[in-house]
């Protein structure tokens, strides 16, 4: 009987048989009637996919990402039991049996090269021996990053670029830049995120500089495990080699296996889903949209979503334009898939851009998932291991991609890491001071919640548009010192307090809907961070000038700690922003 069951398989109930037949029929129907997204993507030539967010363009990669997204949405609190990548080993590596098997030794090893190349080059320029482990070929994607010139100058200031490189890596320039809201009006600004930078060219320039400075790149290698000894961090590669370092920097992005281990596979608190394309055939192609809404809250798949747009000229040709559609949400089983968002994108984008889809030549289809956690930035959980970039959660919860925040924090982080190395302060406490609590980032969570459509809502479908327009209109009235930092994801106490005050005075009728939209617990939590934002502003403005002259008199450990506190006050209040 057992042999027969193994051969024939267990008998199914009639209901199970009907479900199985229905599943097979649905699969055949899907194959016979592919979605518009599948037809478009499979008609494109895909080559040169790279690591990092937005580095893949194929339909098969989209389906894989949607499977990952579905697993996040369906999970209760933990997505999956994470692999234990990092472990602590007692004793000294120099006394272990593996000591003579290490193929190379570094001051700093960086896992993940797409954004890691920037901190690697900054540390190399300070005289440290730095290696990068990258599972792909280390190169930038074709799709451009839009950024402001002043943010690129941050890379010049720390020696990652020279000023002439800015023109070399800039593929497009565009002005003016619009913030617009359905049926409300438009607000126009100049020189905000108005450069299209080619990641391919930028990373090539920085990579060459890194190698010239003595840096070493291990391409086609991936992390298997990290062992933390008292005297070294030991990196075991999947390909078999062993590398040792005094410090390991995790720059593997939002889905870093080390971050999964630290967070115990916890489900993200919020997610930004992004889809879009780069296409040829646009006639009106000289301006950009920083943020635009062309519709009210609407149904996408089985879920409600407020859809936002961003658009800017691409450097690949005068008629080439990139358009992104994005939405904020808390991951739930009914959340829309990326492919469902893309189907909506093909319907809405022609009307939004005033062009027929038939008149466009699609160059690339773009998509990404950007998870965010309330408890960010992520403190160091292990000795000798530090998170950087998207892995650290240093980006704003309303941004999708960490390049802009990286440029702002690169000088602070590279200086702090160098001082930690110089003073041998590589324990988890000392490293955590480099990723401190920042109230301006935590305060941004209110905006993410306010911009996320609720599935069961008693507010108007037009509420998010109305709230955003009221805020942007108030910031415009208050002038550039308020509007410009906010558009570049920098929240400051004075501008925020003025904006909220003006909104309450000019649009008091919107206040009850804010309470309904975000809820009392979220507002109470935000109030704490808003208070801390004011407190950090006070500390940086008045306590910093008193403390700073005494730093030189302190022992090295206390000096390092106080410098990190002063930086936390300044950056946590957004006072690092340069107009």
């Amino acid at each position: 009987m057992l042999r027969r069951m193994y051969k024939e398989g267990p008998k199914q109930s009639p209901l199970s048989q009907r479900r199985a037949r229905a599943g097979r029929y649905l699969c055949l129907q899907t194959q016979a009637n592919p979605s518009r997204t599948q037809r478009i993507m499979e008609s494109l030539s895909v080559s040169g996919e790279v690591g990092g967010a937005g580095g893949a363009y194929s339909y098969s990669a989209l389906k894989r990402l949607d499977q990952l997204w579905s697993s996040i949405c369906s999970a209760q609190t933990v997505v999956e039991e994470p692999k234990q990548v990092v472990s602590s080993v007692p004793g000294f590596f120099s006394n272990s049996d593996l000591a003579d098997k290490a193929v190379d030794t570094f001051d700093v090893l960086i896992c993940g090269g797409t954004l890691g190349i920037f901190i690697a080059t900054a540390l190399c320029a300070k005289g440290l021996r730095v290696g990068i482990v990258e599972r792909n070929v280390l190169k930038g994607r074709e799709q451009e990053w839009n950024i402001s010139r002043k943010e690129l100058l941050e890379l010049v200031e720390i020696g990652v670029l020279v000023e002439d490189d800015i023109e070399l890596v800039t593929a497009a320039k565009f002005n003016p830049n619009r913030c617009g809201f359905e049926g409300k009006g438009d607000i126009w600004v100049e020189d905000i995120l108005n450069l299209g930078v080619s990641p391919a060219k930028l990373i090539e320039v920085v990579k060459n500089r890194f190698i010239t400075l003595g840096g070493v790149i291990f391409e086609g290698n991936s992390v298997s495990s990290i062992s933390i000894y008292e005297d070294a961090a030991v990196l075991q590669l999947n390909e078999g080699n062993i590398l040792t370092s005094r410090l390991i920097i995790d720059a593997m992005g939002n889905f870093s296996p080390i971050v999964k281990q630290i967070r115990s596979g916890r489900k993200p608190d919020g997610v930004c889903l992004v889809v879009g394309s780069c296409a040829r055939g646009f006639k009106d192609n000289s301006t950009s949209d920083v943020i635009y809404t062309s519709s009210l809250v609407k149904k996408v798949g089985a879920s409600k979503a407020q859809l936002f747009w961003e658009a800017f000229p691409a450097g690949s040709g005068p008629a080439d334009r990139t358009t992104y559609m994005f939405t904020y949400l808390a991951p739930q089983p009914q959340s829309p898939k990326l492919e469902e968002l893309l189907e909506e994108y093909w319907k809405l984008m022609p009307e939004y851009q005033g062009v027929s889809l038939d008149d466009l030549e699609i160059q690339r289809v773009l998509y990404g998932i950007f998870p965010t956690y309330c408890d960010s930035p992520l403190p160091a959980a292990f000795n000798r291991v530090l998170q950087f970039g998207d892995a650290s959660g240093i980006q704003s919860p309303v941004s999708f991609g960490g390049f802009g925040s990286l440029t702002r924090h690169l000088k602070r982080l590279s200086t702090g890491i160098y001082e930690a190395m110089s003073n041998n302060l590589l324990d988890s406490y000392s490293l955590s001071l480099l990723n401190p609590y920042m109230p301006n980032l935590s305060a941004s969570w209110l905006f993410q919640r306010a911009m996320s459509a609720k599935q069961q809502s008693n507010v108007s479908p037009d509420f998010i548009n109305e709230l955003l327009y009221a805020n942007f209109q108030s910031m415009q009235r208050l002038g550039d010192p308020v509007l410009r930092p906010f558009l570049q994801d920098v929240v400051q106490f004075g501008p925020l307090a003025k904006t909220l005050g003006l909104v309450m005075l000019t649009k008091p009728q919107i206040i009850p809907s804010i309470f309904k939209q975000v809820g009392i617990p979220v507002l109470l939590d935000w109030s704490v961070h808003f208070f801390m934002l004011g407190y950090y502003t006070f500390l940086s403005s008045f306590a910093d000038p008193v403390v700073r002259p005494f730093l030189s008199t302190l022992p090295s450990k206390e000096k390092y700690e106080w410098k990190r506190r002063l930086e936390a006050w300044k950056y946590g209040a957004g006072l690092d922003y340069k107009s």
Side-chain angles (χ1 to χ4, degrees), residues 338-547:
L338 288 168
E339 187 165 1
E340 290 174 330
L341 277 175
L342 275 165
E343 289 298 293
E344 199 68 27
Y345 170 85
W346 304 123
K347 294 177 192 175
L348 299 178
M349 189 269 283
E351 181 180 353
Y352 159 55
Q353 287 293 293
V355 64
S356 170
L357 201 59
D358 294 333
D359 295 335
L360 297 178
E361 179 186 348
I362 307 296
Q363 308 291 309
R364 286 178 296 280
V365 177
L366 313 164
Y367 47 87
I369 297 173
F370 298 89
T372 51
Y373 295 85
C374 291
D375 56 339
S376 292
L378 186 62
F382 308 99
N383 297 339
R384 301 186 181 274
V385 179
L386 176 70
Q387 270 60 50
F388 171 79
D390 289 354
S392 72
I394 200 71
Q395 72 276 18
S396 162
V398 296
S399 68
F400 50 92
F403 183 60
S405 63
L406 177 148
T407 59
R408 281 184 51 222
H409 291 274
L410 196 56
K411 181 179 179 181
R412 175 183 72 83
L413 287 168
S414 59
T415 300
I417 291 169
Y418 180 76
E419 291 180 4
M421 298 285 294
S422 301
N423 295 294
N424 200 30
L425 297 172
L426 302 176
D427 58 283
S428 60
Y429 169 75
S430 298
L431 293 176
S432 290
L433 296 176
L434 294 166
N435 281 335
Y437 164 68
M438 293 192 177
N440 58 349
L441 285 182
S442 297
S444 297
W445 266 97
L446 182 69
F447 310 138
Q448 211 249 30
R449 290 286 189 252
M451 294 165 72
S452 302
K454 295 180 73 173
Q455 301 313 306
Q456 301 296 326
S457 177
N458 53 357
V459 300
S460 164
D462 190 37
F463 165 73
I464 296 175
N465 282 320
E466 186 179 359
L467 176 63
L468 287 174
Y469 183 64
N471 275 280
F472 275 81
Q473 194 176 41
S474 295
M475 286 188 284
Q476 186 185 39
R477 289 178 182 173
L478 293 167
D480 276 0
V482 173
L483 183 60
R484 295 178 76 86
F486 184 81
L487 288 175
Q488 295 177 78
D489 270 345
V490 180
V491 176
Q492 298 173 323
F493 180 75
L496 180 58
K498 291 176 183 176
T499 300
L500 295 178
L502 189 55
V503 169
M504 286 189 284
L505 286 173
T506 57
K507 297 278 186 180
Q509 68 275 16
I510 207 172
I511 296 173
S513 294
I514 295 176
F515 280 80
K516 293 177 185 177
Q517 171 73 8
V518 300
I520 300 296
V522 171
L523 280 170
L524 289 175
D525 180 68
W526 174 82
S527 298
V528 174
H529 299 304
F530 181 67
F531 171 79
M532 293 302 293
L533 181 62
Y535 182 52
Y536 272 43
T537 301
F538 170 81
L539 289 174
S540 186
S541 300
F542 300 103
D544 183 311
V546 175
V547 172

Side-chain angles (χ1 to χ4, degrees), residues 1 45 67 84 88 134 188 224 270 279-280 328 339 390 403 419 426 431 467 472 479 540 551:
M1 176 63 74
S45 173
Q67 287 177 348
Q84 299 300 296
S88 297
E134 168 57 47
W188 293 88
S224 174
R280 180 165 296 161
Y328 302 103
E339 187 165 1
D390 289 354
F403 183 60
E419 291 180 4
L426 302 176
L431 293 176
L467 176 63
F472 275 81
S540 186
L551 291 181

Side-chain angles (χ1 to χ4, degrees), residues 1-10:
M1 176 63 74
L2 287 174
R3 284 196 296 270
R4 194 178 75 187
M5 285 187 66
Y6 180 77
K7 183 177 179 179
E8 297 177 356

Side-chain angles (χ1 to χ4, degrees), residues 141-144 146 275-280 282 285 287-289 310-316 319-325 345 349 352-353 364 366:
R141 60 181 175 136
E142 293 301 318
Q143 194 55 41
E144 289 147 20
N146 54 325
V275 298
S277 70
C278 179
R280 180 165 296 161
F282 291 91
N285 195 31
T287 65
S288 77
D289 286 345
E310 180 180 348
F312 51 93
S316 50
D320 295 3
R321 190 168 180 83
T322 297
T323 52
Y324 287 120
M325 187 181 81
Y345 170 85
M349 189 269 283
Y352 159 55
Q353 287 293 293
R364 286 178 296 280
L366 313 164

Side-chain angles (χ1 to χ4, degrees), residues 10 139 151 184 192 228 428 446 495 550 555:
K139 63 178 183 178
E151 293 172 301
K184 308 296 179 186
I192 296 289
I228 308 300
S428 60
L446 182 69
F550 294 98

